[in-house]
Amino acid sequence: MNSLLLAAAVAMVVRSLAAARLDRWNLGAPVVMVLAGVVVGLLNENSIAPVLNTEAVQHAAEIILAVLLFVDATELRGGRLWGGYPGLAARVLLIALPVSLGLAALLGWLLFPGLPWAVLLLIAGVTVPTDFAPAERLVRDRSLSMRVRSVLNVESGYNDGIISPLFLFALILAGDQTQQRTPLDALATVVPFAVKAIVVGVVLGTLLGWLMDRAHQAGWLTGQSGRVAVLLAPLLTFTATVAIDGNGFVASFVAGVAFRYVHRLRKARRVHDGRADRAEIRADAVNKDFILLEDVTTLLTMTMWFVVGIAAVLVYSLGISWQVALFCLAVLTVIRMVPVALSLVGSRMSGRERLLVGALGPRGTTSIVFGLLAFNRLPEGTAADTILVITVTCVLGSVVLHGMGAKPMTLLVPKRGS
């Protein structure tokens, strides 16, 4: 374990010291960390499997996803889903996303006929949600139109929170190590999980946002303590929700939405009362309270990519079937692009913009965590192994397609236009 941590730390330092140069070569953090993981995996192929197949790794992945969901939520402003450009994101989330899930499950049924439909739904939940970790520069790339960047940003912020309850339902229905359940049993389990998550997320997100504002006004809060408090918010929310048998992922996302709303509302009131400058509101998108959270999130995400590189060595030593390769190729391309294009028909987006929104759908940490959860909780056998192979193949394919190939894709759309 110590050698793995050392190798990961060295890879992160190298990536950090050469980040600007590597970005010019389209070698983002995911590419570098995956390659480092592959090297370490090849050198320790016989001893690394027991380290990865532990509850500690699973719990670490869960915490990372909870933090990422909170971060995604804090970057979304109220109303963005519906008005203006966000109205386009609503089409992608409410039309294209369900269609993509259905098509992925259908293709899985055709290619893997021996798998139960609950497992096929799990596979769809693993491979469909987007995450901009493999191509984090895209949403800031000025060569993309504002419409494209807005839709991609809002979609990536919402889709993992939307899919999380569905994934949990499929996981419960597919059965854990000891039991299987009927759809009604699974629904009866997942609904209370979701209700608890929403309640805890709203309460804790609102309370923490209010307490931070009061502490700030009382002069109790320092710059560092404020950043630490924001970092602890998703950890507190996730662990508290899991402790009462709720969905920690949903709770983290809801808490992020509530926290950001209260955070901005209290600032707006201080501006109205003359106790804060309007520039404080305008600068909220890069608020210094969130800097530590974003930096820690980057570090955790890099760790997950390193783990993927190691897992790739283990997975591909067993071989990859043509069915897995075809499924992953399809889910990264047409299964996303066609529903997205259809959902945006009649919108103000040009044909090339619609194509680019569909093409730029990277898979990342959400897929990794969902895949690990499914692999660890399902009984040992074909279903669990297939999910692990598909997860690694899909994520690595996205690193190549959306990480290294993202910049060339941006040339498909005009540099201007909004």
Side-chain angles (χ1 to χ4, degrees):
M1 177 63 77
N2 185 64
S3 61
L4 293 182
L5 294 176
L6 176 61
V10 170
M12 292 178 192
V13 170
V14 171
R15 158 62 194 175
S16 300
L17 294 177
R21 173 64 64 180
L22 292 173
D23 284 343
R24 295 193 196 104
W25 298 337
N26 290 328
L27 296 176
V31 177
V32 175
M33 296 307 298
V34 166
L35 291 177
V38 168
V39 172
V40 172
L42 290 173
L43 295 176
N44 300 272
E45 187 172 355
N46 295 327
S47 61
I48 208 167
V51 176
L52 293 180
N53 191 22
T54 62
E55 288 190 7
V57 172
Q58 176 185 329
H59 293 326
E62 291 174 341
I63 292 295
I64 290 173
L65 180 57
V67 173
L68 292 177
L69 286 167
F70 185 88
V71 171
D72 286 344
T74 57
E75 293 177 350
L76 298 171
R77 296 188 177 94
R80 288 190 63 186
L81 184 61
W82 303 106
Y85 300 151
L88 301 174
R91 293 190 183 200
V92 174
L93 286 166
L94 302 180
I95 300 175
L97 181 59
V99 173
S100 294
L101 287 168
L103 289 177
L106 178 61
L107 180 61
W109 175 71
L110 294 174
L111 294 177
F112 313 105
L115 296 180
W117 72 268
V119 174
L120 298 176
L121 188 58
L122 274 177
I123 293 174
V126 168
T127 56
V128 167
T130 60
D131 173 21
F132 272 88
E136 66 272 12
R137 300 177 64 197
L138 279 177
V139 291
R140 300 188 298 272
D141 191 343
R142 297 297 176 179
S143 66
L144 291 174
S145 70
M146 180 61 73
R147 275 193 291 258
V148 171
R149 284 185 283 130
S150 176
V151 171
L152 292 174
N153 186 42
V154 177
E155 180 202 0
S156 65
Y158 275 109
N159 65 6
D160 41 9
I162 293 173
I163 290 179
S164 179
L166 177 65
F167 175 83
L168 180 60
F169 169 78
L171 187 59
I172 294 173
L173 184 61
D176 56 22
Q177 298 287 347
T178 60
Q179 61 181 333
Q180 291 185 342
R181 306 183 186 183
T182 67
L184 288 179
D185 291 336
L187 190 62
T189 302
V190 77
V191 170
F193 278 18
V195 171
K196 292 176 184 178
I198 294 172
V199 172
V200 173
V202 170
V203 171
L204 287 183
T206 302
L207 180 62
L208 290 172
W210 180 82
L211 288 174
M212 277 195 64
D213 178 76
R214 298 299 296 175
H216 175 75
Q217 293 187 52
W220 295 357
L221 199 68
T222 67
Q224 183 185 49
S225 66
R227 294 190 293 272
V228 171
V230 173
L231 175 62
L232 292 174
L235 304 178
L236 174 62
T237 302
F238 179 83
T239 53
T241 307
V242 171
I244 61 172
D245 293 327
N247 188 327
F249 300 139
V250 173
S252 298
F253 182 80
V254 173
V257 174
F259 183 90
R260 183 55 173 247
Y261 176 78
V262 172
H263 198 263
R264 291 176 57 82
L265 180 63
R266 302 297 294 185
K267 281 188 175 183
R269 287 181 176 176
R270 291 202 300 272
V271 169
H272 182 269
D273 296 338
R275 292 179 286 128
D277 190 88
R278 292 186 182 276
E280 187 179 13
I281 299 298
R282 290 194 297 269
D284 187 63
V286 289
N287 192 290
K288 60 184 179 181
D289 290 343
F290 295 90
I291 291 177
L292 179 60
L293 177 63
E294 293 173 355
D295 289 342
V296 171
T297 300
T298 299
L299 183 63
L300 295 175
T301 303
M302 291 172 71
T303 304
M304 290 303 302
W305 288 110
F306 181 77
V307 171
V308 168
I310 294 175
V313 176
L314 300 176
V315 167
Y316 294 125
S317 65
L318 303 175
I320 175 174
S321 67
W322 68 267
Q323 291 94 334
V324 169
L326 178 59
F327 178 85
C328 293
L329 177 62
V331 84
L332 290 173
T333 54
V334 293
I335 284 182
R336 171 177 168 81
M337 294 170 66
V338 172
V340 167
L342 292 176
S343 70
L344 295 174
V345 169
S347 69
R348 293 173 295 172
M349 300 189 86
S350 68
R352 287 190 290 179
E353 285 178 318
R354 293 196 295 269
L355 176 62
L356 195 51
V357 170
L360 297 177
R363 293 357 181 240
T365 309
T366 302
S367 295
I368 297 169
V369 175
F370 281 173
L372 287 175
L373 287 176
F375 174 72
N376 289 334
R377 294 189 182 182
L378 290 178
E380 293 185 8
T382 303
D385 292 344
T386 301
I387 287 179
L388 181 62
V389 174
I390 287 177
T391 299
V392 173
T393 304
C394 182
V395 170
L396 291 184
S398 184
V399 169
V400 175
L401 180 63
H402 302 113
M404 303 177 68
K407 187 62 179 179
M409 287 186 193
T410 63
L411 300 177
L412 295 173
V413 296
K415 292 186 178 181
R416 293 184 178 181
S418 59

